Amino acid sequence: MTGIVCRCMDVTKEDLLNAIEEGYTDIESIKRVTGLGRGPCQGKTCVPIAIGIIARATGKHPDEVGYITPRPPTKPIFLEQLADEEVKE
Amino acid sequence: MRDRAKLVIIGGGVSGLGTAYHLAKSGFTDIVLIERGYFGSGATGRCGGGIRQQFSEEYNIILARESVRMFEKMSEELNQDIGFRQGGYLILAHTEEEAEHLRENVRLQNSLDVPSRYMDPSEALDIVPHLNIEGLSAAAYCPTDGVSQPFLVVKGYVDTLKKMGVELHDHTEVKGIKVENGEIKKVITDKGDIETNMVLNAAGAWSAKIAEMAGVEMPNKPYRHEILATEHMKPWLRPMIISFHTGIYFSQSHDGEIVGGIGDPDEPSSFRIDSSLEFLERFASVAVRYIPVMKKLKVLRQWAGLYDVTPDARPILGPVDELPGLIQANGYSGHGFMIHPMVTKLLAEYIIDGKTSIDIEPLNLRRFKTGEIIQEANVVG
Ligand SMILES: Cc1cc2nc3c(=O)[nH]c(=O)nc-3n(C[C@H](O)[C@H](O)[C@H](O)COP(=O)(O)OP(=O)(O)OC[C@H]3O[C@@H](n4cnc5c(N)ncnc54)[C@H](O)[C@@H]3O)c2cc1C
């Protein structure tokens, strides 16, 4: 059975299983190989689901699969909210 | 893990993986490659993926030019789409002095068959219509420069090397190197020891620590560099935009996000890779000044990695005089990804034949003792 795991980047369960078959069994590598968790939600929805799938497929404990390093900002933010009016040269 | 190998490669970034690939391609597969984290977890997987030939110094121009030719064939060769996109690099100058440098650089690059062009700011609008040219003095553009996705390159190497029968170990750390009578005897890892007489030090920003394990001193220093990615968009920005004046660089990756960074001249040397709000503010201020429509663009994530910086901003390649079994493949500053194809090919040539098709002697570690140093001026960040 297949289905979308990462809605932002269109990563399916099958994509994850293929990556595992190629030998990528930790979540940091799988993120980079499949694109999982690299869209607007930054993995908040899909990573916990993916960890479950990877743990089941590899027989690893979910802790061994790891968790992606959370990257700031917490929510997407406009560049204009960050930019200085007066740009220093 | 094997307990013996002709060569142990320390570091699973592009330097170590690329060298392993070129060796294996020539039939040299008696290699064990050791990586402490996941493959690409050092600078490689954190980098901007920018590939430019517009350097100020002849040697770098040649290495970059040959590397571009290799990137052009890499997707096919590794049977992996590496996301290579040749949208060019547009370099922006602010002062008359910078304009003059660009003009000189372009002259040298053209003499070496690199098709860069010097132009007025108004001509740059043909390449990036959204550009705000106020305050700019000149620009230079090279259409065959580009970007590629570093972790797809890493994946291409890793999958190919496994098929070629090269032993790769991730999540394994080198803890020591045993040297006796001026010869390497053994590499000690947390998963076992490997007897060997030859080590490739491709440990990026940690290379000086690896060399120290073998009693060799190196001048490399680690510096944090921050970087960010925005939301994904349809293609609208063709080139990588950079400026040596403001230290910024940004481009659109092949899956649509803008990836970019900006150097901080006050950043002290350290191994920290945390992220700062101050970086976001500096990047946003300069990016929006160059391309005002980017105001409405959202930052999705930011991270940081380490530049492995040498005193002359050029890599350290080849054997160490007092310990010839230790071969250096590090010190790439902020441009190791772009020159790695040719550099790693040369390193493989050296390991197999003891000689190289382009002389790497000028990049030997000994230059810092003899004082024969040529500085690369065109570095960002
Ligand atoms: C933010 C940023 C942006 C950049 N942008 C660009 C760009 O646009 N274009 C470009 O060409 N270059 C860029 N660079 C530079 C580029 O990333 C590097 O020059 C290049 O990736 C270096 O590759 P490497 O293999 O030498 O080092 P690394 O990729 O750092 O690999 C070294 C590896 O050694 C491993 N290691 C260290 N110690 C040990 C140990 N004791 N045991 C086992 N393994 C160990 C590390 O885990 C690491 O994975 C950028 C760098 C940064 C940080």
Side-chain angles (χ1 to χ4, degrees):
Chain A
M1 200 193 79
T2 185
I4 302 273
V5 178
C6 169
R7 292 180 298 191
C8 305
M9 302 296 287
D10 275 356
V11 179
T12 64
K13 183 175 174 186
E14 203 173 359
D15 294 331
L16 298 185
L17 297 178
N18 285 340
I20 292 165
E21 197 152 303
E22 288 181 302
Y24 299 93
T25 58
D26 64 288
I27 191 80
E28 290 281 12
S29 297
I30 287 179
K31 170 184 171 187
R32 285 159 184 86
V33 167
T34 63
L36 177 98
R38 298 179 58 228
C41 93
Q42 288 292 293
K44 291 190 190 72
T45 328
C46 59
V47 167
I49 300 169
I51 289 172
I53 293 171
I54 299 163
R56 265 194 301 276
T58 58
K60 283 190 183 185
H61 189 274
D63 286 350
E64 282 177 85
V65 177
Y67 199 86
I68 57 169
T69 312
R71 305 282 193 211
T74 315
K75 279 191 178 150
I77 178 168
F78 286 114
L79 286 176
E80 69 180 345
Q81 292 169 284
L82 294 159
D84 266 346
E85 303 279 297
E86 292 285 303
V87 176
K88 299 166 281 249
E89 293 258 312
Chain B
M1 187 159 74
R2 251 192 310 157
D3 61 4
R4 190 186 296 261
K6 200 153 182 195
L7 169 69
V8 174
I9 297 181
I10 306 174
V14 281
S15 184
L17 291 168
T19 308
Y21 170 71
H22 288 289
L23 285 169
K25 213 173 124 178
S26 306
F28 186 124
T29 53
D30 192 358
I31 303 169
V32 175
L33 185 148
I34 307 289
E35 165 55 49
R36 180 173 54 194
Y38 54 90
F39 297 117
S41 58
T44 296
R46 298 165 182 278
C47 91
I51 299 165
R52 100 177 119 96
Q53 302 156 92
Q54 297 182 76
F55 282 92
S56 70
E57 190 268 311
E58 176 166 345
Y59 199 89
N60 274 336
I61 298 172
I62 293 170
L63 289 180
R65 180 194 70 197
E66 294 308 308
S67 293
V68 163
R69 291 175 183 165
M70 293 166 79
F71 274 115
E72 285 168 350
K73 294 188 217 126
M74 200 179 278
S75 291
E76 200 181 326
E77 217 180 302
L78 300 179
N79 194 23
Q80 162 72 49
D81 180 2
I82 62 156
F84 184 49
R85 189 174 74 74
Q86 283 172 297
Y89 256 62
L90 183 67
I91 305 181
L92 305 177
H94 287 241
T95 66
E96 278 319 307
E97 198 188 337
E98 287 167 9
E100 189 45 41
H101 275 294
L102 284 191
R103 200 179 291 133
E104 277 167 27
N105 290 169
V106 163
R107 224 176 279 135
L108 176 64
Q109 289 151 9
N110 290 169
S111 75
L112 297 166
D113 275 345
V114 169
S116 52
R117 266 193 302 137
Y118 176 87
M119 56 181 69
D120 287 334
S122 60
E123 287 175 78
L125 287 172
D126 294 338
I127 300 158
V128 181
H130 299 290
L131 190 66
N132 168 20
I133 58 172
E134 209 186 296
L136 299 181
S137 58
Y141 178 68
C142 177
T144 53
D145 291 348
V147 289
S148 152
Q149 301 255 16
F151 32 83
L152 295 181
V153 171
V154 168
K155 180 172 191 296
Y157 283 137
V158 169
D159 295 349
T160 305
L161 283 166
K162 284 183 182 164
K163 281 193 200 111
M164 290 168 133
V166 174
E167 198 172 306
L168 311 175
H169 294 280
D170 54 357
H171 303 290
T172 305
E173 184 169 357
V174 171
K175 294 288 196 186
I177 297 173
K178 195 167 163 208
V179 177
E180 259 173 33
N181 306 325
E183 206 185 25
I184 292 176
K185 293 291 176 197
K186 195 194 270 192
V187 171
I188 299 155
T189 82
D190 58 357
K191 306 238 171 96
D193 298 354
I194 310 156
E195 279 179 39
T196 189
N197 301 125
M198 200 177 3
V199 166
L200 186 81
N201 183 8
W206 300 272
S207 294
K209 292 191 175 180
I210 296 293
E212 203 185 306
M213 292 176 187
V216 171
E217 208 182 310
M218 298 193 72
N220 311 37
K221 287 217 170 85
Y223 285 90
R224 175 180 70 160
H225 273 263
E226 297 188 67
I227 179 164
L228 59 77
T230 69
E231 58 196 316
H232 300 76
M233 286 159 293
K234 283 186 184 166
W236 64 271
L237 180 63
R238 184 143 56 99
M240 170 83 86
I241 293 189
I242 72 170
S243 163
F244 303 121
H245 187 92
T246 50
I248 200 167
Y249 66 92
F250 58 94
S251 75
Q252 188 168 23
S253 74
H254 106 134
D255 53 344
E257 45 191 14
I258 300 287
V259 175
I262 187 164
D264 178 357
D266 299 326
E267 179 76 35
S269 174
S270 78
F271 281 101
R272 52 190 284 205
I273 52 163
D274 52 332
S275 297
S276 74
L277 177 61
E278 205 243 326
F279 159 73
L280 289 186
E281 290 171 344
R282 265 182 313 117
F283 180 89
S285 303
V286 177
V288 160
R289 176 236 176 277
Y290 286 142
I291 301 195
V293 292
M294 280 174 65
K295 274 199 277 228
K296 294 293 176 197
L297 197 52
K298 281 178 175 166
V299 179
L300 282 195
R301 67 177 177 283
Q302 64 178 130
W303 65 97
L306 295 172
Y307 275 23
D308 171 20
V309 180
T310 61
D312 57 1
R314 302 172 77 205
I316 299 178
L317 306 178
V320 175
D321 286 340
E322 61 272 26
L323 187 63
L326 181 65
I327 299 163
Q328 306 290 357
N330 53 59
Y332 299 102
S333 291
H335 48 269
F337 179 71
M338 60 182 83
I339 60 171
H340 93 270
M342 191 57 192
V343 167
T344 57
K345 179 167 179 273
L346 294 172
L347 286 166
E349 288 173 5
Y350 172 76
I351 290 165
I352 292 172
D353 297 330
K355 54 182 197 299
T356 52
S357 52
I358 296 177
D359 191 14
I360 57 169
E361 281 291 296
L363 296 177
N364 194 282
L365 176 63
R366 91 174 68 82
R367 71 185 185 272
F368 301 106
K369 281 196 190 136
T370 58
E372 286 155 49
I373 289 173
I374 303 168
Q375 187 85 29
E376 170 57 54
N378 286 6
V379 288
V380 276

